[in-house]
Amino acid sequence: MTELPARRLLLVHAHPDDESINNGATMARYAAEGAQVTLVTCTLGERGEVIPPGLRHLTGAALGAHRHQELTAATRELGVTDVRLLGGAGRYRDSGMMGLPDNEDPDCLWQADLDEAAGHLVAVIREVRPQVLVTYDDNGGYGHPDHIQAHRIAMRAADLAADPAVRPDLGEPWRIARVYWNRVPRSVAEAAFAQLQDDLAGLPFAKSAAIEDVPGVVADERITARVDGTAHAAAKAAAMRAHATQIEVAEPCFALSNELAQPLFTTEYYELVRGEGVAGVAGVAGVHSDLFAGIAGFGGTEEAS
């Protein structure tokens, strides 16, 4: 058996581009530090709205194939080489926005059997054996059905992977030490949007988004980890640019298909929701700056909250 790197991070996302927007700096940092960074993307985003006029002919499977190429280019910018599609390319289709008829497609992620979908992820978990899992909260950050389902799949798979009675054919059981949800502290969002108002005249976007448009904004006291990705800001921006069908980048901002400017965060924030550290492991008091801090075998660093 090949020896695994000492630190192993697993991220579960709904569509290509979510990884770069939410965790691009974190992924680039840990990849540069030699950690194993594994990304599992649940759909190819076949129902995403396309920004460039020259690419708007892409729809359905053709758009999914193109976005898969964008994902490959983006993760290359981040230095991440272990990229998986849940169940294989095209196994689960994009479900579209909540409340649309697309949600009823029997092949979309929203309609997936939870344990079956989680089983695909269990196989990855038992192979990679991550200490840390990053995914969305139970609302998927902003209520998109694929984000909600990605959350459910990730949390269910974390439970199943640790159970020796579940699918022994998928490998030895593995308990993930720590689970984080993607977050943005409200004070940080407020400051960033205030600065955006000052910068807007010099940007190619006519209007600004609102704080409510940013997924995962919560009260500051819920933040457990702050990963400073300043040194990897260029990699994150390049990864986001690689998703040209979905994102227009004009640092220090970007816009999605709604053409509303929002801040590009190069420090990324997390809420620890399960595992070591939740009840206060020695050395992990306050807001820590390393997702592995305090996990058995790792020291890590911390900062006062």
Side-chain angles (χ1 to χ4, degrees), residues 6-8 129-133 174 176-178 292 295 298:
R7 295 185 297 170
R8 301 177 299 278
R129 305 170 80 80
Q131 295 103 342
V132 174
L133 167 65
W174 180 256
I176 296 173
R178 188 174 288 173
F292 295 86
I295 293 176
F298 300 102

Side-chain angles (χ1 to χ4, degrees), residues 44-169:
L44 290 173
E46 299 92 338
R47 291 188 167 101
E49 296 181 0
V50 177
I51 296 173
L55 294 176
R56 288 179 187 164
H57 63 282
L58 295 172
T59 59
L63 176 57
H66 188 88
R67 293 190 68 180
H68 190 188
Q69 294 175 353
E70 292 182 336
L71 178 63
T72 300
T75 50
R76 184 183 304 120
E77 295 288 354
L78 300 175
V80 173
T81 58
D82 188 12
V83 182
R84 322 283 183 100
L85 297 172
L86 187 71
R91 174 62 183 86
Y92 298 107
R93 293 180 186 168
D94 187 336
S95 307
M97 298 301 289
M98 187 67 84
L100 296 179
D102 296 332
N103 303 164
E104 303 305 316
D105 179 350
D107 293 323
C108 77
L109 189 68
W110 188 239
Q111 294 297 326
D113 178 86
L114 180 58
D115 280 354
E116 177 185 293
H120 297 305
L121 187 57
V122 167
V124 177
I125 291 171
R126 290 182 176 176
E127 173 195 345
V128 176
R129 305 170 80 80
Q131 295 103 342
V132 174
L133 167 65
V134 170
T135 191
Y136 315 105
D137 64 16
D138 54 2
N139 189 45
Y142 72 110
H144 191 293
D146 287 336
H147 287 239
I148 295 171
Q149 193 75 319
H151 158 85
R152 293 172 177 169
I153 290 166
M155 301 301 287
R156 180 65 173 152
D159 290 336
L160 295 177
D163 187 344
V166 172
R167 296 293 305 272
D169 58 306

